[in-house]
Amino acid sequence: MTEYHRRQADNPRGDSCNNTPHHDEMRYLLTFLTLLALTPCLRAQVIDPQNIVLEQVYIASRDAEDVPVNLLIRDNKLELVSEDEIPIPDGFAALDANGGYLIGILALGESPSFMILDGDPRIDFGVLLDADSRAVFVVHDGELLKNSLQYAKDMFEAKPEGKRWSAYTPPPVALPTSYGDTGAWNHWTTEKTRVVLFGAMAIDRQFWMSQNEASEQQVGSLDKFGGGEIRDIRIGLLGTINLFERPLGYNVAVASNAFDKRFESDGKDNYNFIDYRLDIPVPGGLTLGIGKQKEPISMERLMPLVNVPLQERSSGADALLRSRNFGALLSGSAKRRVSWAGGVFNTFIDSDLSIDQATTSLTGRVTGLPFISKDQSNLLHLGFAARLLDGNEGYQYRTEPEFNKSPVFVDTGLGDTDRILQYNLEASWRRGPFWLAAEYIGTGVDSPLGDSLYFSGYKISGSWILTGEMREYRYKSGTFGPAPVSRSVRQKGKGTWEVAARWSSVDLTDGPVDGGEMDILSFGINWWLLPSVSVNWNYRYILNNREDLDGRASGSAFRLLMLLQ
């Protein structure tokens, strides 16, 4: 797992670390009797526990996975539980639990009450009976009663992989919200395997607001493209096969644009396999991914759509970059500063052509962090990627204006080519809740007639999470995670609010090819009520230059997004 998770509890008062009611009562009683017994003799050791990070602690639940997690306590409230490393904010103490076992009550947004023991009470009950000496960390109602832990080491130091996802771009997977359960009804774990059922559904309502005469001549009237649709339905299985020191990972997913045109069901598309991949650890800390997957080019294209601040990716990425392809991808990272990936891909499965007839591509990407602050809240990301295609199937670049319910605005038409060379430049600066990003895509097309064509696209975007959360940076793949939710509406919080803006441009006109030029100014507002539910609104103003006409149009769209993680 790579995602920077912020969790909510099903019970607003918190869940215990045992899932049998009678055992819960006995565990609570024993825990708090121990805390009360410790209190008088430990008052002298009380220090300020308001802002602290606890690393590498196990949850001592009968059904919980033996995977170490990290905890973040901010302003005397439990804010985060994550399998991923947590950036240490300024002024926070980071303590190494050294594989200790936690029992007590965990509820996000509440003052914590738990203890960490130096042994596993599920195996040795004597650890609980001798809790006064075996407890290494005790906190009760936010008051620290005992601390024998050492300060954590530098967060940049490599830590064991454990049973984590090793894929270059793994799907988002949430920790269980209740540690007294196996996780959730869609999580199944055995000694040798882990299986997670995941899914997503996006429902859109499109409004076209204006269109000039030139635009209507270019693409026809936009009135018929208003209305609602189920933008996407996606469901799949992912998990690990834990037969080796480093587990094998797998991911299978199907998706459909489902029901189109005003929520009616008669326009149902067929479901398609969008991912089927096996991730194999290889010596040297590398991972070999085999199957249908994303080619390593462009941060925006690699990130799941739910991680992008606006509803759709920029027009340049959609027009010029293929989303997924079948192939083999080798990836790795170094010192949490550099990531790289490269592979060979072929379109024969989706195109129903033989391997020799289908297009083969060689794709590679490298990213780096030339600057990162000590607390990791301020960083600069740079990336470069390239792709070489043999052009067996020719070329055609086309896209809608960043609305799914829209006609195509720019289109090169189908052309012949001997070879295509693409490259991508990317830069991102994230400082706390602020994120600025830019990408440029260049595409050179060699024609058999001797003509050399060049198409391009770029985007500049910015987002600001108004409620103060910070997107996680994923060191292994050089991408950013979704906007986290620190206090959901279920916890009587505000959820996460974000505003975003983007300027994008795509140019598909060169030489004899008049595919058109399109510039788009976009604004968006996102509200994540829960980590699994969001509503958002986007507005776009579209300038389309094609066929010697200057088209102008504008529109907006509302989206309801629901995730099963």
Side-chain angles (χ1 to χ4, degrees):
M1 293 174 63
T2 61
E3 191 172 359
Y4 184 73
H5 309 296
R6 295 178 182 258
R7 294 290 151 263
Q8 76 227 17
D10 292 331
N11 182 340
R13 296 302 302 168
D15 296 314
S16 75
C17 297
N18 191 298
N19 66 346
T20 304
H22 176 67
H23 288 174
D24 279 347
E25 295 172 3
M26 295 300 295
R27 177 60 56 81
Y28 288 152
L29 180 60
L30 182 57
T31 298
F32 286 103
L33 284 176
T34 304
L35 288 169
L36 291 175
L38 288 169
T39 299
C41 61
L42 296 175
R43 291 290 183 185
Q45 301 183 36
V46 173
I47 61 173
D48 179 14
Q50 302 294 308
N51 298 287
I52 196 168
V53 174
L54 288 169
E55 300 179 18
Q56 302 295 294
V57 62
Y58 291 89
I59 307 297
S61 167
R62 183 179 64 183
D63 297 317
E65 280 192 271
D66 281 336
V67 176
V69 298
N70 306 306
L71 281 67
L72 174 66
I73 300 171
R74 186 195 301 271
D75 296 330
N76 202 22
K77 306 293 183 182
L78 181 65
E79 180 176 299
L80 174 66
V81 179
S82 175
E83 286 187 19
D84 297 318
E85 295 179 359
I86 298 174
I88 303 172
D90 286 331
F92 277 58
L95 300 177
D96 187 357
N98 197 30
Y101 288 81
L102 182 150
I103 63 171
I105 299 175
L106 295 177
L108 292 187
E110 301 290 340
S111 297
S113 292
F114 60 82
M115 66 170 63
I116 299 175
L117 303 165
D118 63 3
D120 188 348
R122 300 169 299 180
I123 299 174
D124 182 6
F125 192 71
V127 174
L128 278 176
L129 297 178
D130 193 21
D132 57 341
S133 62
R134 303 295 297 272
V136 294
F137 186 89
V138 182
V139 62
H140 179 47
D141 284 338
E143 185 175 8
L144 186 62
L145 303 180
K146 183 178 182 180
N147 176 32
S148 301
L149 301 178
Q150 302 295 316
Y151 285 104
K153 295 182 179 180
D154 192 311
M155 294 291 285
F156 286 106
E157 292 187 9
K159 296 188 177 181
E161 286 274 344
K163 296 179 180 179
R164 298 188 181 184
W165 306 104
S166 57
Y168 181 60
T169 53
V173 181
L175 279 175
T177 58
S178 169
Y179 293 101
D181 256 332
T182 54
W185 67 268
N186 60 321
H187 291 234
W188 300 275
T189 303
T190 68
E191 182 180 354
K192 300 299 182 182
T193 62
R194 182 180 185 185
V195 182
V196 178
L197 173 68
F198 68 93
M201 182 169 68
I203 303 174
D204 285 1
R205 181 63 168 90
Q206 173 74 43
F207 300 88
W208 285 101
M209 302 167 66
S210 67
Q211 182 183 28
N212 69 359
E213 184 178 347
S215 174
E216 191 166 350
Q217 292 182 48
Q218 292 169 335
V219 300
S221 174
L222 296 174
D223 292 341
K224 61 182 178 181
F225 291 94
E229 67 170 345
I230 297 182
R231 166 68 174 88
D232 188 32
I233 295 178
R234 186 168 302 186
I235 190 168
L237 294 174
L238 60 90
T240 58
I241 302 172
N242 306 319
L243 299 177
F244 309 99
E245 182 178 355
R246 293 184 64 194
L248 303 178
Y250 63 87
N251 176 25
V252 179
V254 295
S256 172
N257 279 10
F259 312 110
D260 199 9
K261 313 300 183 189
R262 305 183 186 278
F263 303 114
E264 296 171 357
S265 61
D266 57 351
K268 188 175 182 181
D269 298 331
N270 293 327
Y271 279 85
N272 298 310
F273 281 93
I274 58 171
D275 283 303
Y276 42 88
R277 186 184 73 230
L278 181 66
D279 296 301
I280 306 169
V282 297
L286 308 179
T287 300
L288 177 64
I290 299 176
K292 188 174 182 179
Q293 57 195 300
K294 291 186 177 182
E295 295 188 36
I297 185 169
S298 167
M299 174 191 288
E300 186 180 33
R301 177 53 73 184
L302 285 169
M303 287 169 50
L305 195 57
V306 297
N307 294 10
V308 179
L310 292 160
Q311 291 171 348
E312 303 289 342
R313 296 181 179 88
S314 65
S315 56
D318 272 345
L320 297 170
L321 299 177
R322 183 184 181 93
S323 176
R324 288 170 170 84
N325 207 349
F326 185 88
L329 173 70
L330 187 66
S331 63
S333 58
K335 297 182 179 179
R336 298 173 61 82
R337 289 289 189 131
V338 176
S339 78
W340 60 270
V344 57
F345 302 87
N346 191 280
T347 63
F348 73 100
I349 290 182
D350 290 334
S351 63
D352 294 326
L353 299 173
S354 68
I355 293 181
D356 292 340
Q357 294 173 323
T359 299
T360 298
S361 60
L362 298 175
T363 310
R365 176 175 179 258
V366 61
T367 72
L369 295 176
F371 169 77
I372 183 169
S373 63
K374 185 176 181 180
D375 65 359
Q376 303 184 48
S377 65
N378 187 8
L379 61 81
L380 176 64
H381 159 100
L382 298 177
F384 173 78
R387 173 161 54 188
L388 179 65
L389 304 94
D390 59 22
N392 283 351
E393 299 175 69
Y395 72 90
Q396 182 174 17
Y397 300 116
R398 53 187 296 184
T399 189
E400 301 87 3
E402 300 172 11
F403 284 128
N404 187 63
K405 204 168 178 61
S406 167
V408 170
F409 270 47
V410 288
D411 187 352
T412 63
L414 184 62
D416 295 328
T417 180
D418 292 328
R419 185 184 66 173
I420 301 172
L421 178 62
Q422 296 184 303
Y423 67 93
N424 176 261
L425 301 172
E426 54 189 64
S428 282
W429 174 55
R430 186 210 64 194
R431 183 177 178 88
F434 300 95
W435 177 28
L436 298 177
E439 290 196 28
Y440 179 87
I441 306 162
T443 300
V445 178
D446 289 343
S447 167
L449 302 177
D451 297 324
S452 180
L453 305 174
Y454 187 80
F455 308 120
S456 64
Y458 70 88
K459 66 107 178 189
I460 301 173
S461 65
S463 72
W464 176 23
I465 302 180
L466 302 174
T467 43
E469 291 88 346
M470 180 179 72
R471 272 183 166 79
E472 172 209 11
Y473 182 78
R474 297 176 171 176
Y475 298 91
K476 185 173 180 61
S477 59
T479 60
F480 287 92
V485 181
S486 58
R487 281 187 65 81
S488 69
V489 295
R490 184 179 294 170
Q491 299 169 303
K492 300 181 180 179
K494 299 177 181 178
T496 294
W497 286 84
E498 179 182 33
V499 293
R502 181 174 67 201
W503 175 266
S504 66
S505 179
V506 60
D507 184 355
L508 301 184
T509 296
D510 190 28
V513 177
D514 184 15
E517 301 176 33
M518 181 168 62
D519 299 315
I520 302 176
L521 177 63
S522 300
F523 298 99
I525 301 175
N526 303 318
W527 180 27
W528 286 90
L529 294 81
L530 306 170
S532 58
V533 179
S534 78
V535 292
N536 53 69
W537 169 82
N538 277 194
Y539 167 83
R540 307 196 204 294
Y541 184 74
I542 305 154
L543 300 87
N544 187 21
N545 186 296
R546 189 180 180 190
E547 300 170 350
D548 295 324
L549 297 171
D550 292 324
R552 300 288 185 271
S554 65
S556 65
F558 290 90
R559 173 171 294 174
L560 170 64
L561 176 65
M562 295 170 286
L563 305 175
L564 170 65
Q565 343 185 52

